[in-house]
Amino acid sequence: MSKQAPPKRTTRFKELLNSPELDFLCEAHNGITARIAEEAGFNAIWAGGLCMSAQYGVRDSNEASWTQVLEMLEFMADASSVPILLDGDTGYGNFNNVRRLVAKLEQRNIAAVCIEDKLFPKTNSFIDGNKQELADIDEFCSRIKAGKDAQQDDDFSIITRVEAFIAGWGLSEAMKRAEAYHEAGSDGILIHSALSNPSEVLAFKKEWADRSPVVIVPTKYYATPTDIFREAGFSLAIWANHLLRAGIVAMRECAETMYREQSLLSMEDRIVPVKEIFRLQGASELQDAEERYLPQRGDADRVVVLAASRGTALGALTEDRPKTMVEVQGQSLLGQIISTYNASGIKNIMVVRGYKSEAINLQSINYADNNDYADTGELLSLQCALAADVDDEHNLYISFGDVLFKRYIIESLAEHDEDFVIAVDTNWQDSVNRGRAADYVSCSEPYTRHAFNSRVLLTGAGEELDETNVHGEWTGIMRVSAAAMPRLRELVASMASDPANKKAKLHHLLAALTENNENVRVVYTTGHWLDVDSIDDVVAAGNFT
Ligand code: SPV
Ligand code: MG
């Protein structure tokens, strides 16, 4: 079924104007106030000249050009979906200016315009109103006719504003003018008054009866009960400047408080959070669109770096800091690991701390603490991270805090969009020759040139694998797809619940994955990484560039 488009804004405004019920327009003067007015429930917006000029910091005397007004209207129409009635002042000139104005308003999705029977440049009605000169009736009628002739959309409305009372004239002048404007094609009369009671507008409405809809702006006679307007049969009441006036109170109080207190503290609970600004701007729509349209890059990936252990073999170097904070070439191992991930576009990093956790204090990364680090192994540290902030919506890289590697390794893992991918060094004999503990692995195929193209899978892992079965040494770097995260989480939890696994290492996890029939894809590399286990390794790390 095709979605039915809502009626046009021009049509909705015309209906509001012509309906027998009293309806209300709220002032707005920019995009965000238009949205606030609409969210409050108003069915239409008054783009008032007073407030639009004030938000530009100028007077309501046509100091802002009409194209500057138009520019702001475009933002208001984009930020809202209700009809907007522009306060078009005098029409910014003669008949010719009005017809161009109407054409431009239609292009900007503005539903209606109100023009007042004064001369350009106008002055606000509440500044020496009775000194203001009214337009010649015939000349003003030519503005109305030209505007009506210019409109392309039959439902666009032109309201004409009678300023006779403002300028000190009586009811008969107001009636004479309203009659002429009605005759010229006006869709409704806005009868304005500067009195603090509604006597003028009520007298006019009584005399005018229902010849056409009548609109009022009760700024000065604000104390009049709304039912009086309703009973008199007015069509629309405009609350013409109240968002701006409310904003001035709030902004002034905020500015004065911050200035006086030289602190933000006491204001924070009295203002909206920044995320409310984002909501009003529609930020979430952009985030959704980014997911739809932008290629999903590494910034959607996350990293857990396991760095809870001390690294006793490094002796005095780790007396006051864990191994991961030992500096090589002026930067800690952890700092170098983070830089490598960052260089691949991955910035969402969590470090699991344990020994001397306070010494790991790098900025802009998340932390999980394994307080039982002395009695637990890598598997339980990983579980700490999974229980903390690591979600199941991103791919996850797992790294050790003492393994340096080249960006190339991350990128080669990222090329394989399988659930589990590990980087395996073909040069495993080196560790055997040096008699060091290493995470040996056996694979479905040994490394050959041919294996470069085939899908090699992990078949076993451990420190004690039979040499005849060994095909490589795991670098400690692993990538888990977002889809596989719930399975990883479940496996880690079930292993961790067995007290026998308290000190389990990640090669135990690799072995368990294969036993669970998970396909763990092996990417063979040669070199490009360094496991810092001894003082010699620290020296070697100094040459690792
Ligand atoms: C406006 O809001 O700009 C108006 C109404 O024209 S008044 O300020 O009362 O003239
Ligand atoms: Mg105005």
Side-chain angles (χ1 to χ4, degrees), residues 257-258 260-261 263-271:
T257 305
M258 291 188 300
R260 194 176 52 247
E261 298 183 358
S263 159
L264 303 175
L265 192 62
S266 74
M267 281 316 300
E268 186 61 26
D269 292 341
R270 290 146 70 188
I271 56 181

Side-chain angles (χ1 to χ4, degrees), residues 112-183:
V113 65
C114 175
I115 53 173
E116 64 199 57
D117 53 358
K118 294 198 302 216
L119 303 175
F120 181 90
K122 53 80 50 96
T123 307
N124 185 276
S125 304
F126 300 143
I127 300 177
D128 288 339
N130 57 6
K131 290 193 192 145
Q132 295 184 12
E133 195 182 340
L134 297 185
D136 172 80
I137 293 181
D138 289 340
E139 186 276 324
F140 189 68
C141 285
S142 75
R143 292 185 227 169
I144 301 168
K145 284 183 194 146
K148 290 306 289 177
D149 286 345
Q151 73 185 61
Q152 302 282 316
D153 177 343
D154 285 346
D155 290 345
F156 185 87
S157 301
I158 299 185
I159 311 279
T160 47
R161 168 162 154 183
V162 173
E163 289 279 281
F165 292 138
I166 296 290
W169 300 91
L171 180 59
S172 61
E173 179 70 17
M175 286 297 295
K176 182 170 76 177
R177 287 176 170 270
E179 289 277 16
Y181 307 159
H182 183 53
E183 192 67 18

Side-chain angles (χ1 to χ4, degrees), residues 46 48-51 60 87 89 116 122 124-126 161 192 217 219 240-241:
W46 168 249
L50 172 62
C51 295
D60 187 14
D87 170 8
D89 294 341
E116 64 199 57
K122 53 80 50 96
N124 185 276
S125 304
F126 300 143
R161 168 162 154 183
H192 205 13
V217 184
T219 306
N241 40 49

